[in-house]
Amino acid sequence: MALTRAASVFRVEDWKETEPIEESLRNNGMSDDDKVVFYQVGTVTHFAGSGAKKKPGSKKIVAVSTYRMWILNEKKYKIDKVVPFLHLDDIVLAGVKATFTFNENVGRGGYTIEVNTGADAAMLVRSVWESYRLMTQGWPDDDAQSTDARQVDKVNIQNSVAGGFKESYLGYCDLLSTDPSYLVIGAVEAAASRSRDLTLNHIPGWNSKTNVAFDTATLGWSLRYNNHFTGLTCDGVEPKEASIIVPRILSSTTTLTRVSWKNDPSQGERHNGTLGIGLQMNPLHRISILQISGGKISSGMSVSLSESIRKFPPTLTVLDVSDCNMSGADSLQFIKSLQTNQAMASNIEEFSIAGNTINDAGSKELFSLLSSIRTTSKLRRLSVASTGCHLGLFALELAFLSHLEFIDISFLTVKDQWAPPLVSFAQNTQKLKTVVMEGVNLPFSF
């Protein structure tokens, strides 16, 4: 039997028999939204960590609810262990034995539950799999994933395609004990029906700078596995909230290709490196447009962002870190990260570092970067305006940027000795269309 979203979950038919089980689970924290969907008696062994010494198994009741697996004493219905399906990593099915592995959020080194049913364990596996995928798969396409537990030895949960916003959101609300906002659910689903872009500050409840009317962490976790949205915008979002939600989404997304975090109203160092950390956690992201301009980047964020750039895949075509108030040391570190990832740097078509401080060392590093990618660069637009950058140090390399169409050197100082290479660049770069020079006093004219 294929496990598709259309298939019914395997609900218990004899509710009289499960009443004490249900009562026990309710008394042990099962929420009103959680429901028992299946139970089975078997010999159960459960232990923390992959290297833990296993104790002999004993007869237990394994109850599957919408959000969790519960291990109960067979006679007194006392709870031995409860684990949430959102932390499930893997299922192995081998005849009458099913093994469920949960990640480190459940126990040190993870947690494992082995159930020997004495009969066919496929029904237990299917029930767990259905509850899991209701929260993590099949949205917006109900038929996005199907698996036949009877025909596989291993159901690899960890590497499965995932999605499922509504069920995931409700699941994370249950996991984190937060109240769900159905206005949030409606707004996200409405956005999905219109396009593949999600603007966070259009969600109802995001009407205050500091008192958002829903839990942003829950929303962030719920969106990280979406398989629909390719664009994420949080322009003007309070930095405290943005630094909670955006990194959580970036930590697992394989669908997003554009991230815009612009016009941040913060005046303080409140990003704390979380965006870069989110990107570092996710080597499988496919982001091609990264815009994080307009807010102050702390030294901590600069370090993590630079580290993520070093490992960025060569998918990035637009990189905008303008007006982030980076210091000379931060800018130097950031430019060096581009230098160490030349496959990505060569692929960038638009780059702006305007409004940040670039000192002498940073100017030399920028020269070195342009020199190293002169034959492979696809750069079309470049802005170093208001950086204090010594334009002359890399003016010679500008002429080799054969694809360059636009450059902004506003409010930079151009010394007399650098006039010839700058003139040569402007005259000989065939595709160059626009040179913005606001506030620049040139000792020559083009």
Side-chain angles (χ1 to χ4, degrees):
M1 180 176 179
L3 299 183
T4 65
R5 172 72 177 275
S8 63
V9 289
F10 297 87
R11 299 192 175 279
V12 179
E13 295 179 0
D14 189 350
W15 285 102
K16 290 183 179 180
E17 187 176 346
T18 64
E19 283 178 0
I21 296 177
E22 184 100 14
E23 181 180 359
S24 178
L25 300 188
R26 296 290 178 207
N27 291 337
N28 283 273
M30 188 169 79
S31 67
D32 292 339
D33 292 329
D34 206 356
K35 307 292 182 185
V36 175
V37 296
F38 178 80
Y39 83 96
Q40 192 165 26
V41 177
T43 302
V44 179
T45 304
H46 53 100
F47 53 92
S50 57
K53 185 177 180 180
K54 292 193 292 185
K55 297 180 180 180
S58 57
K59 207 168 186 181
K60 303 286 183 183
I61 296 173
V62 181
V64 177
S65 69
T66 308
Y67 303 126
R68 290 174 167 80
M69 175 183 285
W70 310 74
I71 308 298
L72 301 89
N73 181 284
E74 185 185 14
K75 294 182 179 179
K76 296 183 179 180
Y77 303 114
K78 181 181 177 181
I79 305 295
D80 281 358
K81 187 69 178 177
V82 54
V83 284
F85 291 133
L86 282 169
H87 294 324
L88 182 65
D89 273 352
D90 201 38
I91 299 175
V92 176
L93 172 63
V96 298
K97 188 172 85 170
T99 303
F100 306 93
T101 304
F102 297 83
N103 61 37
E104 63 277 1
N105 291 297
V106 177
R108 292 182 179 180
Y111 203 86
T112 301
I113 297 175
E114 295 178 353
V115 184
N116 190 324
T117 63
D120 186 1
M123 190 69 120
L124 175 61
V125 168
R126 287 200 299 267
S127 299
V128 172
W129 177 241
E130 180 69 13
S131 289
Y132 176 85
R133 76 178 292 272
L134 281 175
M135 289 182 284
T136 60
Q137 294 187 265
W139 177 85
D141 179 2
D142 285 348
D143 297 321
Q145 178 83 6
S146 64
T147 301
D148 191 337
R150 291 183 179 274
Q151 297 178 8
V152 296
D153 294 324
K154 183 175 180 179
V155 181
N156 196 327
I157 301 295
Q158 189 173 18
N159 297 324
S160 297
V161 179
F165 171 71
K166 180 179 178 181
E167 292 85 357
S168 181
Y169 178 70
L170 293 175
Y172 273 108
C173 286
D174 182 85
L175 177 68
L176 301 174
S177 299
T178 58
D179 294 328
S181 168
Y182 288 91
L183 288 176
V184 169
I185 294 174
V188 173
E189 291 187 336
S193 67
R194 293 191 300 267
S195 72
R196 296 177 70 84
D197 291 323
L198 177 63
T199 301
L200 292 176
N201 40 306
H202 289 173
I203 294 176
W206 219 309
N207 50 13
S208 172
K209 292 177 65 175
T210 56
N211 295 306
V212 176
F214 57 87
D215 184 78
T216 50
T218 305
L219 179 59
W221 288 127
S222 304
L223 286 169
R224 64 184 181 146
Y225 288 131
N226 95 89
N227 61 355
H228 176 76
F229 294 114
T230 58
L232 177 69
T233 301
C234 53
D235 295 354
V237 171
E238 169 71 16
K240 178 182 68 175
E241 308 299 346
S243 64
I244 290 173
I245 192 170
V246 174
R248 283 167 171 76
I249 297 172
L250 295 182
S251 67
S252 300
T253 179
T254 57
T255 308
L256 287 178
T257 59
R258 181 189 62 79
V259 175
S260 176
W261 183 356
K262 300 195 301 184
N263 304 319
D264 189 325
S266 173
Q267 298 299 315
E269 297 181 355
R270 300 174 63 182
H271 292 302
N272 299 320
T274 52
L275 184 146
I277 291 172
L279 289 171
Q280 283 180 268
M281 292 172 62
N282 183 9
L284 300 178
H285 75 78
R286 300 188 300 157
I287 294 172
S288 60
I289 299 175
L290 183 61
Q291 299 168 304
I292 50 175
S293 63
K296 188 173 184 178
I297 291 183
S298 68
S299 296
M301 181 178 178
S302 176
V303 170
S304 62
L305 183 60
S306 295
E307 286 302 312
S308 68
I309 289 294
R310 294 179 195 276
K311 301 175 183 179
F312 229 85
T315 54
L316 195 65
T317 58
V318 177
L319 178 58
D320 181 3
V321 292
S322 60
D323 300 316
C324 287
N325 206 17
M326 283 194 284
S327 67
D330 292 335
S331 295
L332 173 61
Q333 181 176 241
F334 186 77
I335 297 169
K336 281 185 175 181
S337 69
L338 293 171
Q339 175 79 301
T340 59
N341 190 350
Q342 292 191 15
M344 182 209 70
S346 296
N347 204 49
I348 292 176
E349 297 179 17
E350 300 182 22
F351 175 49
S352 177
I353 196 171
N356 300 290
T357 300
I358 299 180
N359 56 23
D360 288 353
S363 299
K364 292 177 182 177
E365 194 65 35
L366 188 57
F367 166 81
S368 178
L369 170 64
L370 295 178
S371 178
S372 64
I373 61 173
R374 62 160 60 171
T375 59
T376 57
S377 176
K378 299 178 182 179
L379 194 63
R380 295 185 299 103
R381 299 176 65 88
L382 172 65
S383 179
V384 291
S386 303
T387 58
C389 177
H390 291 183
L391 182 61
L393 289 176
F394 64 93
L396 290 170
E397 285 301 324
L398 292 176
F400 293 99
L401 300 177
S402 59
H403 296 281
L404 198 64
E405 300 174 1
F406 173 98
I407 185 169
D408 189 348
I409 58 173
S410 296
F411 304 105
L412 298 184
T413 300
V414 180
K415 297 182 179 180
D416 292 355
Q417 62 265 37
W418 296 114
L422 199 55
V423 171
S424 175
F425 152 70
Q427 292 177 341
N428 298 321
T429 305
Q430 295 183 356
K431 294 185 178 181
L432 187 64
K433 299 176 182 177
T434 304
V435 179
V436 180
M437 300 183 297
E438 184 180 354
V440 175
N441 296 317
L442 295 175
F444 55 88
S445 60
F446 287 112

